[in-house]
Amino acid sequence: MNIGSSQKYPPGEKILVEGAPGDYIVFLKSGCVKVTGKLGNGREALIAIRVGGDVVGEMSVIDGVPRSATVTACDDIDAHVVQGRAMRSFLEKYPEAAIQIVRIINRRLRSAISWRIAFGEFPVRVRLARVLAELAENHGRPVRKYGRLAHSYTLICVNLTHTELAALVGAKPETVQKTLAAFRAEGIVTTGSRRMEVIKLHRLQAIGLLPTTGR
């Protein structure tokens, strides 16, 4: 893309701010950001995780409405920022690119609808399994350990606190901790200092009532 400019964001910097006007779109080239929104009681809820290859800020560029969420850098971010007018001209010139943006919005809308249903219908164990399976599939790195006890697992490449994970699941942190402890006892995951390894992805998918990949 010959429009826009490269931009770097340090950990903790707010890339987009909820409620603020903002006529630019951000293409993430590397790094991880968290998307949060304010609740009625003033607290923040973690809405989503975005990583390199994702785009944020597209809705305000398209509809001109103030930002619907805050996007914060979790680590060093390498991004490409395009102002709204330039982006809209680009999309008019290249309609196939506009279709890709619409697909991104539709995918996120479908995901949001799916989660609203899951929050009302399923217990925390199912919801947590779904979140971990999604993180492993979308933001995981396959790792193979060799030696006498050779095995493979998926390292989730997003550092989340129990509080942030609980916000994604829609549960209390202590409930998430207990459910994670059960998953560890069943040999499904291992956890460390802000590190999580999924040993049996197919078990998480089964618990989360998702199609299994066999891993």
Side-chain angles (χ1 to χ4, degrees):
M1 185 182 291
N2 339 336
I3 57 174
S5 59
S6 294
Q7 180 72 45
K8 294 184 182 297
Y9 299 94
E13 182 167 346
K14 287 180 168 51
I15 300 173
L16 307 175
V17 178
E18 182 179 357
D23 193 28
Y24 60 91
I25 187 170
V26 181
F27 295 88
L28 303 175
K29 293 193 281 187
S30 66
C32 167
V33 302
K34 60 182 179 180
V35 183
T36 58
K38 290 181 181 177
L39 298 173
N41 59 10
R43 296 176 60 188
E44 279 196 340
L46 183 62
I47 299 170
I49 299 294
R50 302 283 182 246
V51 296
D54 281 331
V55 58
V56 293
E58 74 284 350
M59 292 177 66
S60 289
V61 165
I62 292 174
D63 61 19
V65 174
R67 303 295 189 189
S68 59
T70 295
V71 176
T72 307
C74 295
D75 51 16
D76 290 312
I77 301 297
D78 188 11
H80 193 82
V81 178
V82 183
Q83 295 301 315
R85 176 180 290 183
M87 191 67 212
R88 287 188 291 271
S89 296
F90 179 83
L91 295 177
E92 288 174 5
K93 187 175 181 180
Y94 300 98
E96 63 273 18
I99 291 173
Q100 291 303 317
I101 295 292
V102 170
R103 284 176 176 167
I104 289 172
I105 295 173
N106 282 351
R107 185 174 68 243
R108 291 176 180 175
L109 178 58
R110 289 178 188 276
S111 177
I113 292 171
S114 174
W115 276 115
R116 286 181 68 88
I117 294 171
F119 282 157
E121 184 176 354
F122 301 123
V124 173
R125 178 176 169 86
V126 174
R127 301 202 304 263
L128 181 58
R130 285 192 169 201
V131 166
L132 295 181
E134 181 178 295
L135 289 173
E137 290 182 294
N138 298 332
H139 312 302
R141 176 167 58 86
V143 177
R144 176 73 180 175
K145 280 192 173 181
Y146 296 94
R148 187 169 62 87
L149 298 175
H151 67 283
S152 60
Y153 61 87
T154 301
L155 173 64
I156 293 180
C157 303
V158 178
N159 292 325
L160 294 175
T161 65
H162 282 167
T163 300
E164 290 172 331
L165 190 56
L168 270 180
V169 175
K172 294 180 179 179
E174 53 268 29
T175 305
V176 167
Q177 290 177 25
K178 289 179 181 178
T179 309
L180 273 177
F183 286 165
R184 286 195 299 268
E186 296 171 47
I188 297 172
V189 302
T190 61
T191 59
S193 178
R194 301 201 72 170
R195 175 187 177 93
M196 185 174 299
E197 300 166 352
V198 175
I199 310 301
K200 299 176 181 176
L201 178 57
H202 67 285
R203 285 283 295 123
L204 280 180
Q205 292 167 334
I207 294 169
L209 306 178
L210 298 168
T212 58
T213 60
R215 286 183 289 161

